[in-house]
Amino acid sequence: MNLFRRVPQLFVGLILYGVSMALMVESNLGLNPWDVFHQGVSKVSGITFGWVVLLVGIPVLLLWIPLRQRPGFGTVANLVVVGFAADAALRLLPAGESMPSRIGFLVGGILLNGFATALYIGSRMGPGPRDGLMTGLAGRFPRLSIRVIRTGIELFVLGVGFLLGGTVGIGTIAYALAIGPLVHLFLPPLTVREKVSDVSPEPSPAH
């Protein structure tokens, strides 16, 4: 396995993911469900957005234990890097004051999020805490599809986040509609292939 590509790709993906979150926050036009929750907790607690992302990830990761999920290096890196990257970007980004700038932040955030997601998933070094929770629940409850489980989790965190003051808006809908196709577009060329041996032909991309 090409660690010289996978490790840098993982960290670049996680950093860009944090930046994409900050862009959507600054747009003030709506966030994805988990970030609605993160922002809501941040507003109520006074803790910065990025630190909330990190702190929420800890109990989510602990839920992997009864689900018998095993974290990878990328899981731990996701837990730490994304939140710090988001806070750093929020400090550096200018405020989105005009509607054109806010729309630009939103569109740029969604596009960058799709690209960043494909980067860190394509590194194949372990899912993020929240993704692992979803797949772990799917493994424990095989009668429920991943789509049903993901929808249930996201509706729950969206509802709680909204009640806590997180931003729900057109950006929330746009993200839900766009993120799947974007990851589908970016993931194949960004997936690091596993080499069986130095002399073996290069395998097809993972599906």
Side-chain angles (χ1 to χ4, degrees):
M1 297 183 184
N2 191 353
L3 290 177
F4 291 103
R5 174 183 168 184
R6 292 170 65 204
V7 173
Q9 178 172 321
L10 169 70
F11 281 97
V12 170
L14 295 177
I15 291 169
L16 292 181
Y17 194 95
V19 174
S20 74
M21 295 165 73
L23 284 167
M24 292 188 66
V25 169
E26 288 294 348
S27 79
N28 200 32
L29 291 172
L31 303 168
N32 71 64
W34 274 105
D35 285 346
V36 172
F37 178 72
H38 297 145
Q39 189 184 53
V41 173
S42 177
K43 288 183 175 181
V44 171
S45 66
I47 302 172
T48 66
F49 178 84
W51 267 103
V52 170
V53 173
L54 191 158
L55 293 173
V56 168
I58 295 173
V60 171
L61 188 57
L62 291 176
L63 290 174
W64 285 32
I65 297 173
L67 297 174
R68 298 179 182 177
Q69 289 283 93
R70 293 184 178 180
F73 175 75
T75 308
V76 179
N78 184 300
L79 179 67
V80 176
V81 174
V82 171
F84 286 126
D87 267 356
L90 285 170
R91 285 193 294 269
L92 296 173
L93 284 171
E97 297 178 353
S98 67
M99 184 55 69
S101 66
R102 291 169 62 193
I103 292 173
F105 281 163
L106 175 64
V107 174
I110 293 174
L111 289 173
L112 184 60
N113 191 277
F115 180 71
T117 299
L119 272 175
Y120 84 74
I121 291 177
S123 72
R124 298 192 302 111
M125 300 197 73
R130 295 153 187 81
D131 290 334
L133 174 64
M134 175 186 65
T135 56
L137 287 170
R140 289 296 299 271
F141 303 99
R143 293 185 179 182
L144 299 176
S145 68
I146 288 183
R147 179 177 297 181
V148 169
I149 291 172
R150 176 173 180 170
T151 300
I153 293 173
E154 292 190 347
L155 285 176
F156 174 76
V157 296
L158 178 66
V160 174
F162 176 71
L163 293 174
L164 293 175
T167 306
V168 178
I170 187 64
T172 307
I173 299 171
Y175 182 90
L177 293 175
I179 192 61
L182 285 172
V183 175
H184 181 77
L185 172 67
F186 291 128
L187 187 57
L190 294 174
T191 298
V192 181
R193 297 176 176 88
E194 181 178 357
K195 295 181 180 180
V196 178
S197 72
D198 292 335
V199 297
S200 298
E202 190 173 332
S204 301
H207 295 288

